[in-house]
Amino acid sequence: MSFFPKIAFQYEVEEYLTKVFRNNELITALGTQEAENKYQSLLSHLSHPPAFTTVRVNTHLASVKHVKKLLFEEIQKQFKGLRVPVLEHPKLQDVLLIPVIGPRRDLKKHASEVIVGAQCGNAVLRGAHVYVPGIVSTSRFVKAGDTVSVYSDIEGKCKRGAKEFDGVKVFLGNGISELSRSEIFSSSGPLKGLGIRMIEPVYLSPSFDNVLPSNLFLQNLPSVVVSHILDPQPGEKILDMCAAPGGKTTHLATLMRDQGEVIAMDKTVNKVKKIKQNAELLQLNCIKAFCYDGTKALSVEKREDKQEGPPFLPESFDRILLDAPCSGMGQRPNMAYSSTLKEVTSYQPLQRKLFTVAVKLLKPGGVLVYSTCTITLSENEEQVAWALKTFPCLQLHPQEPHIGGEGMKGAGLSLDQLKLLQRFDPSAVTLQGMDINSLQDSREDDLISLANKDCIGFFIAKFIKLHSK
């Protein structure tokens, strides 16, 4: 049952998506009504947070059992004794799952209001407190220590520093203000730090701010699956082409037991800094991060023998992960998607440039995993159809573990090919809330099954390179 309105798109993007999810192949397979129902269900799911918080254990430093015990104690402390279980994923041995309680419909709204930006609001729905940079406006007389109701300005129309806002806003819960209004909007420059400590969020998820930072990495479930599918081995040379902020990079290094070489690239300086910080925090030494544009990572000339970084010679890598820049429509929660159609359609050619470089950099017999966190055909199944036609040296390969559904119809792929793909589609399960009573009555198998489906929208394809191009 929807608690928030369905995700809103710009008109031209909505038109585009409607055609995608009413394509002829899909309609022929499902029927018009079933295809429409699935699409509408997907739009509802996207505006709500996933049913579970997923954390990856840094098994390089600690055992899953040990971290599970510490995490359970931390959650009990945060939730004031509420016994929310921490589940081990049976197919992803380094993953812990925490059920999200909510939506809580009985929270009282307070007269004092704080409006936050949409990105900040999305983070609050997944367990974060409100930091000062995320605050857009507050009621006139807010003081430190006041109980306030927090709302998300999903359309981005509230003016910074406004004393009231009558536009579209979505209630996120209640918190205690750590600062007065005048301190939040101080003229002496942008403040940092905690602004509102959430005490009654609509969705109850643990905060991971400084919680077991070397032992845990907060990561969406399909993002963890990707590294397992690439299956890097100790001693291999791995390339993570678009690596920031380093969740998958550090996971690959951990799976290799920190033996071998993981080259991580991103074209933004600050993002590369973040990858290095995460590698240091998780005490992983086999990662080398470079600020470089992946589309230019193939060297056409002979390299210096001592050169570590890009560009690289053809056939330099045993395995390559291309977690490609994408339109990001699978991210949850998101109540208003602001990109234009021009922006949405700009990703396909970029992904193809990166993919072409990846194929050339991969050794014969090597593995290439392509993934996105979006729901379109053009960035997912169409890219697979294009790759198989463009690169006869590539073969689609089964994925292990296969936790999501098969690929979506509409790109001309065969049923056998679609079964080799993995599409995480949140609409595969009914949108439902979870309260502490229903949680305690649930079987662990049912909760794991729900976690596998009620996650972000995501896509994975795995290729083997049979021979040199």
Side-chain angles (χ1 to χ4, degrees), residues 322 324 347-360 368 370 377-396 410-414 417 421 459 461 463 469:
L322 174 51
Y347 288 100
Q348 191 192 63
L350 170 61
Q351 290 158 354
R352 290 186 179 183
K353 279 183 189 170
L354 289 162
F355 196 99
T356 301
V357 171
V359 174
K360 290 174 180 172
L368 168 58
Y370 172 83
L377 272 172
S378 63
E379 299 170 77
N380 296 329
E381 289 82 358
E382 279 182 22
Q383 298 294 52
V384 172
W386 164 82
L388 294 173
K389 188 178 172 187
T390 309
F391 304 104
C393 61
L394 290 185
Q395 185 179 70
L396 264 185
L413 294 168
S414 71
Q417 287 171 326
L421 304 176
F459 177 83
F463 302 88
K469 190 169 175 277

Side-chain angles (χ1 to χ4, degrees), residues 136-385:
V136 182
S137 86
T138 75
S139 296
R140 190 181 300 268
F141 300 113
V142 169
K143 303 185 301 300
D146 284 358
T147 302
V148 295
S149 287
V150 179
Y151 295 83
S152 177
D153 168 27
I154 59 173
E155 294 180 342
K157 298 214 172 141
C158 182
K159 286 194 169 59
R160 180 160 178 79
K163 295 183 176 111
E164 52 186 48
F165 176 59
D166 296 324
V168 178
K169 58 189 180 187
V170 173
F171 178 59
L172 306 175
N174 300 316
I176 305 287
S177 185
E178 298 286 312
L179 302 164
S180 67
R181 176 186 163 82
S182 59
E183 287 172 313
I184 291 168
F185 299 111
S186 161
S187 57
S188 61
L191 276 181
K192 293 181 179 173
L194 189 61
I196 312 292
R197 187 166 37 84
M198 298 300 295
I199 54 167
E200 293 179 324
V202 163
Y203 280 91
L204 190 58
S205 300
S207 166
F208 282 89
D209 189 20
N210 228 8
V211 172
L212 306 171
S214 295
N215 290 333
L216 287 180
F217 203 96
L218 197 55
Q219 215 169 347
N220 287 302
L221 185 121
S223 300
V224 181
V225 173
V226 168
S227 303
H228 283 287
I229 286 165
L230 190 68
D231 193 25
Q233 299 300 309
E236 289 184 332
K237 189 173 182 180
I238 311 293
L239 176 62
D240 188 353
M241 278 187 89
C242 306
K248 297 180 186 72
T249 310
T250 54
H251 193 192
L252 295 172
T254 305
L255 290 173
M256 294 162 70
R257 300 198 287 281
D258 205 22
Q259 297 165 26
E261 200 175 359
V262 180
I263 302 289
M265 291 193 306
D266 202 277
K267 63 180 187 178
T268 310
V269 175
N270 285 344
K271 289 183 176 180
V272 173
K273 209 179 279 181
K274 188 71 184 161
I275 296 169
K276 289 177 178 175
Q277 284 169 353
N278 280 325
E280 199 176 323
L281 183 66
L282 302 177
Q283 296 179 35
L284 294 161
N285 300 311
C286 74
I287 293 166
K288 292 172 183 161
F290 299 94
C291 185
Y292 208 81
D293 180 347
T295 64
K296 297 170 182 166
L298 181 70
S299 177
V300 287
E301 298 163 5
K302 197 171 186 317
R303 282 164 46 107
E304 297 287 321
D305 283 346
K306 291 177 185 171
Q307 186 186 325
E308 275 192 323
F312 301 102
L313 290 173
E315 301 184 352
S316 291
F317 293 93
D318 298 293
R319 298 172 201 256
I320 296 176
L321 172 59
L322 174 51
D323 184 48
C326 71
S327 57
M329 287 188 197
Q331 292 293 358
R332 297 173 61 194
N334 188 359
M335 292 175 221
Y337 182 84
S338 58
S339 294
T340 63
L341 183 58
K342 187 179 178 185
E343 288 167 328
V344 169
T345 53
S346 71
Y347 288 100
Q348 191 192 63
L350 170 61
Q351 290 158 354
R352 290 186 179 183
K353 279 183 189 170
L354 289 162
F355 196 99
T356 301
V357 171
V359 174
K360 290 174 180 172
L361 288 175
L362 188 64
K363 292 177 183 176
V367 176
L368 168 58
V369 170
Y370 172 83
S371 63
T372 74
C373 58
T374 198
I375 58 174
T376 65
L377 272 172
S378 63
E379 299 170 77
N380 296 329
E381 289 82 358
E382 279 182 22
Q383 298 294 52
V384 172

Side-chain angles (χ1 to χ4, degrees), residues 59-77:
T59 51
H60 177 58
L61 292 185
S63 72
V64 173
K65 293 272 186 241
H66 175 64
V67 175
K68 179 182 175 181
K69 180 175 175 289
L70 296 177
L71 185 56
F72 181 73
E73 288 165 2
E74 169 65 27
I75 291 170
Q76 271 209 297
K77 200 163 63 185

